Amino acid sequence: MIERRTFLFTAGAATAVAAGLGSFVIPALANDPDGPFKLAPLPYDPAALEPHIDAATMGIHHGKHHAAYVKNLNTALAGKTELASLPLETLLTKLNDVPEAIRTTVRNNGGGHANHTMFWQIMGAPGGPGPDGDLKAAIDRDFGGMEKLQETFNAAGGKVFGSGWVFVTVDKDGKLALEPRPNQDTPLMEGKRVLFGNDVWEHAYYLKYQNKRADYLKAWWNVANWKVIADRYAAAKAGTLTI
Ligand code: MN
């Protein structure tokens, strides 16, 4: 039934895009009722990031890719009550305690769940204000300004071979660092905190940008949500930032 509904959703999305409707609703069918990990709805319409990230990419990325990470994580942890009850950011620091038979699955899908949960939050409709205050001062201090941050971040994104992420981490003193990772790895696995990051898996951009990852990396800054990122920065310094 889920397979059929997923197919119908995808077909519906394609029809909506073809008809120029511009937006469509993702049905809330991706949650695994058995949990414990859940897929939260996108915090905005899938078309909200247009034209920089298209609605079809957002719908598939959230409703299919992220949903699969959640489902696979829950499946792997079925019957592992202790591990399954941990907060995700804690689970990711305890991969060595995860039975070897499911360790890679938990690493990939737990990392994927955490990375995408962060990713949806730190984006928003284009045209929002840029960084200011403490956060802008930290960007100036640790990267030499926004332009330099974008340049080094995009260069790191271009260098990720295959699939991965570019993250900016933040420590409790508010210090920022550029930290790319392969696959669905995340600095959370080392107990660090992620301020924001960009997904450079092909599924994040291929429908619109095809092989032109550099164009996606450049356009992506238009949808960075600096209000949310500033809140995350303050939370990191207060020791309350989780994923
Ligand atoms: Mn992704």
Side-chain angles (χ1 to χ4, degrees):
M1 184 58 185
I2 285 173
E3 284 305 310
R4 183 174 139 74
R5 289 167 71 189
T6 303
F7 169 76
L8 289 173
F9 159 60
T10 305
T15 305
V17 170
L21 297 179
S23 71
F24 48 87
V25 176
I26 298 175
L29 49 78
N31 275 346
D32 182 344
D34 298 326
F37 295 101
K38 303 284 186 192
L39 179 68
L42 271 181
Y44 35 70
D45 187 279
L49 310 186
E50 296 260 12
H52 306 290
I53 303 181
D54 57 289
T57 294
M58 289 298 290
I60 295 167
H61 199 173
H62 176 268
K64 304 268 280 187
H65 290 276
H66 188 175
Y69 297 128
V70 174
K71 188 173 193 304
N72 293 340
L73 179 62
N74 284 333
T75 301
L77 292 175
K80 308 277 192 294
T81 320
E82 203 171 314
L83 290 170
S85 68
L86 294 172
L88 182 54
E89 70 277 12
T90 306
L91 174 65
L92 291 172
T93 63
K94 294 179 178 294
L95 291 172
N96 288 339
D97 298 339
V98 173
E100 204 174 343
I102 59 167
R103 191 176 300 155
T104 300
T105 303
V106 171
R107 178 181 191 135
N108 290 340
N109 292 283
H113 182 28
N115 288 338
H116 290 84
T117 299
M118 172 278 299
F119 190 53
W120 312 131
Q121 288 173 23
I122 59 89
M123 297 191 292
D132 63 4
D134 280 2
L135 177 56
K136 183 181 182 302
I139 290 170
D140 290 346
R141 181 193 62 212
D142 297 331
F143 292 105
M146 259 310 271
E147 206 171 304
K148 196 74 186 163
L149 165 61
Q150 293 182 0
E151 189 185 311
T152 51
F153 187 102
N154 292 357
K159 277 184 204 149
V160 172
F161 187 76
S163 300
W165 289 76
V166 185
F167 299 102
V168 169
T169 55
V170 54
D171 72 13
K172 283 183 93 167
D173 297 324
K175 181 158 176 50
L176 308 178
L178 188 68
E179 305 213 31
R181 290 289 184 281
N183 306 311
Q184 293 295 353
D185 284 358
T186 159
L188 293 173
M189 291 168 179
E190 299 138 49
K192 297 179 179 179
R193 287 295 173 262
V194 170
L195 180 62
F196 66 91
N198 191 4
D199 186 344
V200 298
W201 283 58
E202 285 186 344
H203 68 224
Y205 63 85
Y206 209 85
L207 288 181
K208 182 177 174 73
Y209 294 92
Q210 293 85 46
N211 60 316
K212 299 184 283 287
R213 188 193 284 180
D215 290 356
Y216 161 71
L217 280 160
K218 194 173 166 200
W220 178 79
W221 293 95
N222 290 295
V223 297
N225 185 334
W226 291 102
K227 168 74 177 75
V228 171
I229 296 170
D231 289 346
R232 292 173 64 83
Y233 186 71
K237 291 208 291 183
T240 56
L241 182 63
T242 54
I243 288 170

